[in-house]
Amino acid sequence: MRPDGRSRAADAVQMALEAGAADAFATDSTSRDVEFSYRDGALEKVQDSTSRSIALELYVAGRYSAHRTTDLEPDRLRAFIREAVALTRALEPDEYRRITPPELFAERPDVDLDLVDPAVEALAREQRLAWSAALDEASHAHGRVLSATAMVFDGSFASSEAGSNGFAGSRRSTYCWFGSSVTLRDRGDRRAEDSCFVGGTHLADLPEAQGVGTTALERAVARLDAGKGPSGRMTMVVDARAASMLVGRLLGGAYAQAVQQGRSFWAPLVGTRAFSEKLDITDDPLIVRGLASRLYDAEGISAKVLPIVKAGVVENLYVDTYYGRKAGMAPTTGSASNVRVGTGTQSLAELLRDAGEGVYVTSWLGGNADSTTGDFSLGLRGHMIENGAVGRPVGEMNVTGNLKTLFSRLEAVGNDPYPYATILSPSLVFSGVDFSGA
């Protein structure tokens, strides 16, 4: 905030109005990002960067444009905005582009999300090096280790927003992540590799670095002597870490933009039971210390808990104001925050026991999913499930099918939501899944 109480974002909005814009929305943001990379006992890379910018959305005579600049000197900023307004006048009109109606940010939550940790902002080089060394040492505790890379990422973000529609807001957050990737010598010239990374907004919520390095090594060791699994239709148990990505693939078409452009299989599903009754998905921006928590979204729409799927019934989609107008849909929010997948009562071990035989997926290796049809094909790494327990490691396999069909075959959910992601999913069990392998 400026000494006179006005934000730089408010100044930018005023400059835009003086230049002839009908409406404007500005975001003044500052971020600092630090990265330490430590490879095989030595510090390999240090990067410390700070950035500052103003992003501006302009509404001029029925036309719209978006701009960003890092030159914040007042006279040059004023000239930049004046030119941006002039350029916007030359664009084609778009009747659906209008600034966010004030009623959408009238009921902003008044809660403390606790997203700033002073300990992160005060992190010293010595602490980052100590974490790196501990990760590195733990990751090398096996005779077949060829290399291991430990990494520490931390930083902070602050922004203030202002709009000619009366919007004003500000937010701050910190983050810290660390972990390591490990590569081991396998049979012949083959390599076995895996990783473990953890992160959050507060240091107190993170485990010990040495334990994280040990987990990375254990995961890589579990990949030794992996081979192709069989082809066929089997039960699939997806580890919570991998389930987060799978749920993200499912939600890829749950946006008004995709629906309006005919690129979403979600379009006819609202109000219908489209998935298994075991499936609950909720967008929750109000989780204290959540990785994607917020009081308002990029348009200024006030945050609220939004049920997406409840007992298999699709209740809401992500709808921004622009594509909402084009598609005739009421706005909810234009982007995801923390996504919570409903949990069950069983542990992963119990899910594997009940599955008996099948494939246990621990990570994905590329692939694609079509948001228009829901068809997907994903490479995987994992293990065979043998006699209700984790069996031999497998890779070089694909799982194929349709996302809508897959999630209609969701048989069970675990009690173990993965905490180090914006999609908080537990382990998931699917029946009748098609695999191609040996």
Side-chain angles (χ1 to χ4, degrees), residues 207-260:
E208 292 293 328
Q210 185 169 6
V212 174
T214 297
T215 299
L217 177 60
E218 290 172 346
R219 289 176 177 173
V221 170
R223 302 302 311 149
L224 288 169
D225 299 318
K228 282 188 178 182
S231 296
R233 180 166 292 183
M234 294 173 277
T235 296
M236 178 172 72
V237 179
V238 184
D239 184 86
R241 182 170 57 130
S244 295
M245 191 282 282
L246 190 62
V247 174
R249 296 276 193 173
L250 174 68
L251 293 174
Y255 290 82
Q257 178 178 358
V259 170
Q260 190 273 329

Side-chain angles (χ1 to χ4, degrees), residues 102-145:
E103 59 266 24
L104 294 180
F105 56 78
E107 298 181 1
R108 188 187 308 171
D110 184 18
V111 296
D112 181 8
L113 297 176
D114 194 16
L115 300 180
V116 177
D117 183 4
V120 173
E121 297 179 310
L123 265 177
R125 173 186 174 89
E126 290 72 22
Q127 178 62 76
R128 299 184 183 99
L129 284 172
W131 282 333
S132 299
L135 288 162
D136 183 77
E137 180 181 7
S139 298
H140 279 86
H142 192 283
R144 290 197 187 184
V145 173

Side-chain angles (χ1 to χ4, degrees), residues 55-95:
L56 195 67
E57 296 178 76
L58 299 174
Y59 304 82
V60 183
R63 295 155 172 85
Y64 168 86
S65 65
H67 308 263
R68 181 181 296 273
T69 180
T70 58
D71 189 345
L72 307 185
E73 193 280 324
D75 288 340
R76 290 193 291 270
L77 177 61
R78 189 181 303 276
F80 172 84
I81 293 174
R82 189 163 50 242
E83 181 179 1
V85 170
L87 289 171
T88 306
R89 290 186 185 280
L91 301 176
E92 289 295 318
D94 188 340
E95 62 178 305

Side-chain angles (χ1 to χ4, degrees), residues 369-388:
D370 188 333
S371 63
T372 303
T373 64
D375 293 338
F376 70 90
S377 177
L378 303 171
L380 66 88
R381 292 192 301 195
H383 298 260
M384 297 305 298
I385 304 170
E386 300 168 346
N387 298 316

Side-chain angles (χ1 to χ4, degrees), residues 32 127 139 163 182 185 330 432:
R32 184 194 179 198
Q127 178 62 76
S139 298
V182 184
R185 183 177 60 258

Side-chain angles (χ1 to χ4, degrees), residues 147-162:
S147 67
T149 300
M151 305 191 78
V152 178
F153 309 88
D154 65 88
S156 60
F157 174 81
S159 71
S160 63
E161 291 82 13

